[in-house]
Amino acid sequence: MRAMRAEGFRGYGDLKLADIPKPHVADGRVLVRITAAGVTPLDHTILSGGYPRAKAPLVLGSEGAGVVEDANGSDFSLGARVMFTGPYGVSEDGAYSEYLAVRKDNLCLIPANIDDVSAAGLPVAYLTAHMTLGLAGFQAGQTVLAPAIGGSVGNAVTQLARALGARHAISTTTSHAKAEQARTLGFDEVIDLSSDNLGEGVYRTTQGYGSDIVIDAIGGDILSDALGTLAMGGSLTTLGYAAGRKSTIDVTDLIWKRASIKSFSLFAQPPEMWRSAWKAIYAVLESGAVKPIVARTFPLEDAAEALRHQIEGRPFGRTVLKM
């Protein structure tokens, strides 16, 4: 079968098209014929040598969508459309391939109203959004800030919080063009950081209240600025570092507001949390309350260019490979 495989971890040039054996299913695995694969910042981290435990050669791709070809005794029927994420493309071969043996616990059916391309780019973002909101104690009527409306997690948290009854679901962008695009798509609480200050924007939007919950997948200075928007008793969850791994914070933003800061790692969460999140995500997708956004698709053999587009082009929405 065809696969885009990292032969080393020195950058885009190490991602090569290869002909490798079709995987066999083992206990607890389901064979999926991949129809589309999400392109994520994690793929770039692996390919650029940012995860020293990864071993080459390695097929990249931590999320995707496809059709069940061998159910291997699981509850999934042959031909069922499924989406998935897991340790694929990190500690074992991933979704940049025509077939993948996926752990059954990592699979979720795709609602009939969601196409495979859209489904391929949503598992990591929406699972993260649901779990982080839950761990932060989200309740309807609260204010949520999730920076980067054009990014996967920022957009997913914004959409999901809004669907679940947030009073305000606020996001940001550093591009005036993206701010206009966001408004066109119905996101009317987006702060344009090219002309506005994050704190001022949040307090203006919330009439001086601030943020009950911040879900930050950006890091860097955005984290410290977002921390300053917390309302009394609020919390910030950090889970990414696209804008930098280091940040300087004002500890009084925590102390005086009795606020908290915590971290999150998707693949460290227990199986029961995954099952609950998959169920909730299926429901909001099926209802149409959230709509995943795909910016561009590429064929499998152009995976390196697709990854470059996602990282350097910073599109509004997901980049997806089509098999």
Side-chain angles (χ1 to χ4, degrees), residues 42-79:
L42 176 60
D43 302 336
H44 181 260
T45 297
I46 300 294
L47 187 60
S48 58
Y51 185 71
R53 294 183 181 180
K55 298 186 182 301
L58 178 70
V59 178
L60 297 184
S62 62
E63 63 180 2
V67 178
V68 173
E69 183 163 290
D70 185 345
N72 192 29
S74 72
D75 294 334
F76 293 94
S77 59
L78 293 179

mmCIF file of all heavy atoms in Angstrom, residues 42-79:
data_model
loop_
_atom_site.group_PDB
_atom_site.id
_atom_site.type_symbol
_atom_site.label_atom_id
_atom_site.label_comp_id
_atom_site.label_asym_id
_atom_site.label_seq_id
_atom_site.Cartn_x
_atom_site.Cartn_y
_atom_site.Cartn_z
ATOM 1 N N LEU A 42 1.294 18.550 15.258
ATOM 2 C CA LEU A 42 2.054 17.432 15.827
ATOM 3 C C LEU A 42 2.869 16.731 14.747
ATOM 4 O O LEU A 42 4.013 16.323 14.986
ATOM 5 C CB LEU A 42 1.103 16.440 16.501
ATOM 6 C CG LEU A 42 1.737 15.163 17.054
ATOM 7 C CD1 LEU A 42 2.796 15.482 18.112
ATOM 8 C CD2 LEU A 42 0.669 14.235 17.629
ATOM 9 N N ASP A 43 2.294 16.582 13.552
ATOM 10 C CA ASP A 43 3.028 15.953 12.451
ATOM 11 C C ASP A 43 4.311 16.730 12.153
ATOM 12 O O ASP A 43 5.363 16.144 11.895
ATOM 13 C CB ASP A 43 2.160 15.892 11.190
ATOM 14 C CG ASP A 43 0.857 15.145 11.398
ATOM 15 O OD1 ASP A 43 0.784 14.300 12.310
ATOM 16 O OD2 ASP A 43 -0.102 15.417 10.649
ATOM 17 N N HIS A 44 4.208 18.053 12.181
ATOM 18 C CA HIS A 44 5.377 18.891 11.921
ATOM 19 C C HIS A 44 6.404 18.753 13.044
ATOM 20 O O HIS A 44 7.614 18.711 12.792
ATOM 21 C CB HIS A 44 4.944 20.352 11.772
ATOM 22 C CG HIS A 44 6.083 21.284 11.484
ATOM 23 N ND1 HIS A 44 6.669 22.059 12.461
ATOM 24 C CD2 HIS A 44 6.756 21.545 10.334
ATOM 25 C CE1 HIS A 44 7.641 22.770 11.920
ATOM 26 N NE2 HIS A 44 7.718 22.481 10.640
ATOM 27 N N THR A 45 5.923 18.694 14.288
ATOM 28 C CA THR A 45 6.827 18.512 15.426
ATOM 29 C C THR A 45 7.637 17.228 15.271
ATOM 30 O O THR A 45 8.854 17.212 15.469
ATOM 31 C CB THR A 45 6.032 18.471 16.741
ATOM 32 O OG1 THR A 45 5.373 19.723 16.937
ATOM 33 C CG2 THR A 45 6.944 18.198 17.929
ATOM 34 N N ILE A 46 6.947 16.149 14.888
ATOM 35 C CA ILE A 46 7.627 14.863 14.686
ATOM 36 C C ILE A 46 8.634 14.968 13.548
ATOM 37 O O ILE A 46 9.803 14.586 13.683
ATOM 38 C CB ILE A 46 6.603 13.754 14.382
ATOM 39 C CG1 ILE A 46 5.600 13.579 15.526
ATOM 40 C CG2 ILE A 46 7.325 12.432 14.080
ATOM 41 C CD1 ILE A 46 6.182 13.086 16.810
ATOM 42 N N LEU A 47 8.182 15.487 12.407
ATOM 43 C CA LEU A 47 9.017 15.525 11.208
ATOM 44 C C LEU A 47 10.245 16.415 11.385
ATOM 45 O O LEU A 47 11.285 16.158 10.772
ATOM 46 C CB LEU A 47 8.189 16.009 10.015
ATOM 47 C CG LEU A 47 8.851 15.946 8.636
ATOM 48 C CD1 LEU A 47 9.246 14.509 8.292
ATOM 49 C CD2 LEU A 47 7.920 16.514 7.566
ATOM 50 N N SER A 48 10.141 17.424 12.218
ATOM 51 C CA SER A 48 11.263 18.349 12.416
ATOM 52 C C SER A 48 12.152 17.966 13.597
ATOM 53 O O SER A 48 13.019 18.739 13.999
ATOM 54 C CB SER A 48 10.731 19.777 12.596
ATOM 55 O OG SER A 48 9.832 19.861 13.689
ATOM 56 N N GLY A 49 11.928 16.773 14.164
ATOM 57 C CA GLY A 49 12.796 16.278 15.219
ATOM 58 C C GLY A 49 12.459 16.773 16.605
ATOM 59 O O GLY A 49 13.271 16.660 17.525
ATOM 60 N N GLY A 50 11.238 17.272 16.780
ATOM 61 C CA GLY A 50 10.845 17.822 18.065
ATOM 62 C C GLY A 50 10.387 16.805 19.086
ATOM 63 O O GLY A 50 10.077 17.168 20.227
ATOM 64 N N TYR A 51 10.309 15.536 18.684
ATOM 65 C CA TYR A 51 9.907 14.484 19.625
ATOM 66 C C TYR A 51 10.977 13.396 19.565
ATOM 67 O O TYR A 51 10.938 12.514 18.699
ATOM 68 C CB TYR A 51 8.535 13.934 19.254
ATOM 69 C CG TYR A 51 7.992 12.929 20.253
ATOM 70 C CD1 TYR A 51 7.562 13.337 21.516
ATOM 71 C CD2 TYR A 51 7.914 11.574 19.941
ATOM 72 C CE1 TYR A 51 7.068 12.428 22.438
ATOM 73 C CE2 TYR A 51 7.417 10.651 20.860
ATOM 74 C CZ TYR A 51 6.995 11.092 22.102
ATOM 75 O OH TYR A 51 6.506 10.186 23.016
ATOM 76 N N PRO A 52 11.943 13.434 20.458
ATOM 77 C CA PRO A 52 13.110 12.545 20.351
ATOM 78 C C PRO A 52 12.798 11.060 20.473
ATOM 79 O O PRO A 52 13.608 10.228 20.072
ATOM 80 C CB PRO A 52 14.014 13.012 21.505
ATOM 81 C CG PRO A 52 13.116 13.747 22.450
ATOM 82 C CD PRO A 52 12.055 14.367 21.604
ATOM 83 N N ARG A 53 11.628 10.697 21.012
ATOM 84 C CA ARG A 53 11.304 9.280 21.143
ATOM 85 C C ARG A 53 10.814 8.654 19.836
ATOM 86 O O ARG A 53 10.719 7.433 19.719
ATOM 87 C CB ARG A 53 10.242 9.090 22.229
ATOM 88 C CG ARG A 53 10.722 9.443 23.631
ATOM 89 C CD ARG A 53 9.642 9.164 24.662
ATOM 90 N NE ARG A 53 10.073 9.520 26.012
ATOM 91 C CZ ARG A 53 9.335 9.386 27.091
ATOM 92 N NH1 ARG A 53 8.098 8.892 26.977
ATOM 93 N NH2 ARG A 53 9.792 9.730 28.267
ATOM 94 N N ALA A 54 10.446 9.486 18.866
ATOM 95 C CA ALA A 54 9.990 8.949 17.575
ATOM 96 C C ALA A 54 11.144 8.267 16.857
ATOM 97 O O ALA A 54 12.289 8.714 16.930
ATOM 98 C CB ALA A 54 9.426 10.078 16.722
ATOM 99 N N LYS A 55 10.829 7.179 16.170
ATOM 100 C CA LYS A 55 11.865 6.414 15.485
ATOM 101 C C LYS A 55 11.517 6.280 14.000
ATOM 102 O O LYS A 55 10.414 5.879 13.641
ATOM 103 C CB LYS A 55 12.018 5.028 16.116
ATOM 104 C CG LYS A 55 12.462 5.073 17.582
ATOM 105 C CD LYS A 55 12.730 3.688 18.129
ATOM 106 C CE LYS A 55 13.126 3.747 19.599
ATOM 107 N NZ LYS A 55 14.339 4.559 19.810
ATOM 108 N N ALA A 56 12.468 6.641 13.146
ATOM 109 C CA ALA A 56 12.295 6.523 11.698
ATOM 110 C C ALA A 56 12.701 5.123 11.237
ATOM 111 O O ALA A 56 13.544 4.482 11.861
ATOM 112 C CB ALA A 56 13.144 7.572 10.996
ATOM 113 N N PRO A 57 12.094 4.625 10.129
ATOM 114 C CA PRO A 57 11.040 5.276 9.351
ATOM 115 C C PRO A 57 9.691 5.222 10.074
ATOM 116 O O PRO A 57 9.406 4.258 10.787
ATOM 117 C CB PRO A 57 11.018 4.481 8.055
ATOM 118 C CG PRO A 57 11.464 3.109 8.457
ATOM 119 C CD PRO A 57 12.486 3.330 9.548
ATOM 120 N N LEU A 58 8.872 6.269 9.856
ATOM 121 C CA LEU A 58 7.589 6.372 10.539
ATOM 122 C C LEU A 58 6.568 7.021 9.622
ATOM 123 O O LEU A 58 6.810 8.108 9.089
ATOM 124 C CB LEU A 58 7.743 7.210 11.814
ATOM 125 C CG LEU A 58 6.481 7.461 12.635
ATOM 126 C CD1 LEU A 58 6.007 6.165 13.306
ATOM 127 C CD2 LEU A 58 6.730 8.547 13.684
ATOM 128 N N VAL A 59 5.431 6.372 9.441
ATOM 129 C CA VAL A 59 4.317 6.965 8.703
ATOM 130 C C VAL A 59 3.640 7.979 9.624
ATOM 131 O O VAL A 59 3.253 7.637 10.738
ATOM 132 C CB VAL A 59 3.299 5.896 8.251
ATOM 133 C CG1 VAL A 59 2.123 6.555 7.519
ATOM 134 C CG2 VAL A 59 3.980 4.871 7.351
ATOM 135 N N LEU A 60 3.514 9.212 9.170
ATOM 136 C CA LEU A 60 2.933 10.262 9.999
ATOM 137 C C LEU A 60 1.407 10.206 9.976
ATOM 138 O O LEU A 60 0.801 9.439 9.240
ATOM 139 C CB LEU A 60 3.405 11.632 9.511
ATOM 140 C CG LEU A 60 4.908 11.921 9.594
ATOM 141 C CD1 LEU A 60 5.194 13.354 9.170
ATOM 142 C CD2 LEU A 60 5.439 11.654 10.982
ATOM 143 N N GLY A 61 0.786 11.061 10.791
ATOM 144 C CA GLY A 61 -0.676 11.206 10.781
ATOM 145 C C GLY A 61 -1.348 10.666 12.014
ATOM 146 O O GLY A 61 -1.486 9.458 12.173
ATOM 147 N N SER A 62 -1.804 11.576 12.900
ATOM 148 C CA SER A 62 -2.416 11.143 14.159
ATOM 149 C C SER A 62 -3.932 11.071 14.111
ATOM 150 O O SER A 62 -4.553 10.603 15.072
ATOM 151 C CB SER A 62 -2.002 12.100 15.294
ATOM 152 O OG SER A 62 -2.460 13.417 15.028
ATOM 153 N N GLU A 63 -4.558 11.528 13.010
ATOM 154 C CA GLU A 63 -6.014 11.473 12.929
ATOM 155 C C GLU A 63 -6.456 11.268 11.488
ATOM 156 O O GLU A 63 -5.721 11.570 10.546
ATOM 157 C CB GLU A 63 -6.637 12.752 13.486
ATOM 158 C CG GLU A 63 -6.283 14.015 12.724
ATOM 159 C CD GLU A 63 -6.924 15.262 13.317
ATOM 160 O OE1 GLU A 63 -7.617 15.160 14.348
ATOM 161 O OE2 GLU A 63 -6.727 16.354 12.743
ATOM 162 N N GLY A 64 -7.659 10.730 11.344
ATOM 163 C CA GLY A 64 -8.141 10.490 9.994
ATOM 164 C C GLY A 64 -9.552 9.948 9.985
ATOM 165 O O GLY A 64 -10.230 9.860 11.009
ATOM 166 N N ALA A 65 -9.980 9.575 8.777
ATOM 167 C CA ALA A 65 -11.308 9.005 8.572
ATOM 168 C C ALA A 65 -11.214 7.935 7.507
ATOM 169 O O ALA A 65 -10.299 7.936 6.678
ATOM 170 C CB ALA A 65 -12.294 10.090 8.143
ATOM 171 N N GLY A 66 -12.169 7.011 7.543
ATOM 172 C CA GLY A 66 -12.152 5.952 6.547
ATOM 173 C C GLY A 66 -13.310 4.989 6.706
ATOM 174 O O GLY A 66 -14.317 5.312 7.343
ATOM 175 N N VAL A 67 -13.132 3.814 6.126
ATOM 176 C CA VAL A 67 -14.183 2.803 6.072
ATOM 177 C C VAL A 67 -13.666 1.509 6.688
ATOM 178 O O VAL A 67 -12.535 1.086 6.401
ATOM 179 C CB VAL A 67 -14.612 2.554 4.608
ATOM 180 C CG1 VAL A 67 -15.669 1.459 4.530
ATOM 181 C CG2 VAL A 67 -15.134 3.843 3.975
ATOM 182 N N VAL A 68 -14.467 0.887 7.537
ATOM 183 C CA VAL A 68 -14.074 -0.368 8.179
ATOM 184 C C VAL A 68 -14.019 -1.481 7.137
ATOM 185 O O VAL A 68 -15.006 -1.781 6.462
ATOM 186 C CB VAL A 68 -15.066 -0.749 9.294
ATOM 187 C CG1 VAL A 68 -14.743 -2.149 9.846
ATOM 188 C CG2 VAL A 68 -15.024 0.280 10.427
ATOM 189 N N GLU A 69 -12.826 -2.081 7.007
ATOM 190 C CA GLU A 69 -12.660 -3.181 6.055
ATOM 191 C C GLU A 69 -12.621 -4.537 6.761
ATOM 192 O O GLU A 69 -13.013 -5.547 6.197
ATOM 193 C CB GLU A 69 -11.383 -2.979 5.229
ATOM 194 C CG GLU A 69 -11.207 -4.051 4.170
ATOM 195 C CD GLU A 69 -10.218 -3.646 3.102
ATOM 196 O OE1 GLU A 69 -10.534 -2.746 2.297
ATOM 197 O OE2 GLU A 69 -9.126 -4.250 3.067
ATOM 198 N N ASP A 70 -12.128 -4.559 7.998
ATOM 199 C CA ASP A 70 -12.129 -5.783 8.804
ATOM 200 C C ASP A 70 -12.471 -5.374 10.232
ATOM 201 O O ASP A 70 -11.660 -4.751 10.926
ATOM 202 C CB ASP A 70 -10.762 -6.463 8.739
ATOM 203 C CG ASP A 70 -10.739 -7.811 9.464
ATOM 204 O OD1 ASP A 70 -11.673 -8.082 10.255
ATOM 205 O OD2 ASP A 70 -9.781 -8.578 9.245
ATOM 206 N N ALA A 71 -13.692 -5.733 10.685
ATOM 207 C CA ALA A 71 -14.148 -5.319 12.019
ATOM 208 C C ALA A 71 -13.495 -6.118 13.134
ATOM 209 O O ALA A 71 -13.500 -5.698 14.293
ATOM 210 C CB ALA A 71 -15.662 -5.448 12.110
ATOM 211 N N ASN A 72 -12.957 -7.284 12.818
ATOM 212 C CA ASN A 72 -12.198 -8.101 13.772
ATOM 213 C C ASN A 72 -12.969 -8.343 15.071
ATOM 214 O O ASN A 72 -12.425 -8.244 16.168
ATOM 215 C CB ASN A 72 -10.855 -7.424 14.064
ATOM 216 C CG ASN A 72 -9.886 -8.335 14.804
ATOM 217 O OD1 ASN A 72 -9.921 -9.557 14.662
ATOM 218 N ND2 ASN A 72 -9.025 -7.735 15.613
ATOM 219 N N GLY A 73 -14.260 -8.649 14.933
ATOM 220 C CA GLY A 73 -15.060 -8.984 16.103
ATOM 221 C C GLY A 73 -15.529 -7.802 16.926
ATOM 222 O O GLY A 73 -16.125 -7.987 17.993
ATOM 223 N N SER A 74 -15.293 -6.597 16.457
ATOM 224 C CA SER A 74 -15.723 -5.406 17.199
ATOM 225 C C SER A 74 -17.189 -5.102 16.897
ATOM 226 O O SER A 74 -17.842 -5.781 16.103
ATOM 227 C CB SER A 74 -14.867 -4.204 16.812
ATOM 228 O OG SER A 74 -15.184 -3.776 15.495
ATOM 229 N N ASP A 75 -17.707 -4.051 17.517
ATOM 230 C CA ASP A 75 -19.094 -3.648 17.288
ATOM 231 C C ASP A 75 -19.269 -2.858 16.003
ATOM 232 O O ASP A 75 -20.405 -2.537 15.630
ATOM 233 C CB ASP A 75 -19.598 -2.788 18.466
ATOM 234 C CG ASP A 75 -19.675 -3.580 19.763
ATOM 235 O OD1 ASP A 75 -19.820 -4.810 19.688
ATOM 236 O OD2 ASP A 75 -19.570 -2.958 20.842
ATOM 237 N N PHE A 76 -18.187 -2.534 15.322
ATOM 238 C CA PHE A 76 -18.281 -1.772 14.077
ATOM 239 C C PHE A 76 -18.592 -2.713 12.916
ATOM 240 O O PHE A 76 -17.994 -3.785 12.795
ATOM 241 C CB PHE A 76 -16.984 -1.021 13.801
ATOM 242 C CG PHE A 76 -16.708 0.064 14.799
ATOM 243 C CD1 PHE A 76 -15.909 -0.191 15.908
ATOM 244 C CD2 PHE A 76 -17.250 1.327 14.651
ATOM 245 C CE1 PHE A 76 -15.658 0.802 16.848
ATOM 246 C CE2 PHE A 76 -17.005 2.329 15.582
ATOM 247 C CZ PHE A 76 -16.210 2.068 16.684
ATOM 248 N N SER A 77 -19.506 -2.312 12.055
ATOM 249 C CA SER A 77 -19.895 -3.150 10.924
ATOM 250 C C SER A 77 -18.992 -2.886 9.731
ATOM 251 O O SER A 77 -18.413 -1.788 9.592
ATOM 252 C CB SER A 77 -21.352 -2.872 10.544
ATOM 253 O OG SER A 77 -21.538 -1.516 10.198
ATOM 254 N N LEU A 78 -18.859 -3.882 8.857
ATOM 255 C CA LEU A 78 -18.092 -3.712 7.629
ATOM 256 C C LEU A 78 -18.696 -2.575 6.815
ATOM 257 O O LEU A 78 -19.909 -2.479 6.664
ATOM 258 C CB LEU A 78 -18.094 -4.991 6.823
ATOM 259 C CG LEU A 78 -17.349 -6.189 7.425
ATOM 260 C CD1 LEU A 78 -17.465 -7.402 6.508
ATOM 261 C CD2 LEU A 78 -15.887 -5.844 7.661
ATOM 262 N N GLY A 79 -17.844 -1.718 6.301
ATOM 263 C CA GLY A 79 -18.325 -0.599 5.498
ATOM 264 C C GLY A 79 -18.708 0.629 6.296
ATOM 265 O O GLY A 79 -19.037 1.669 5.715
#
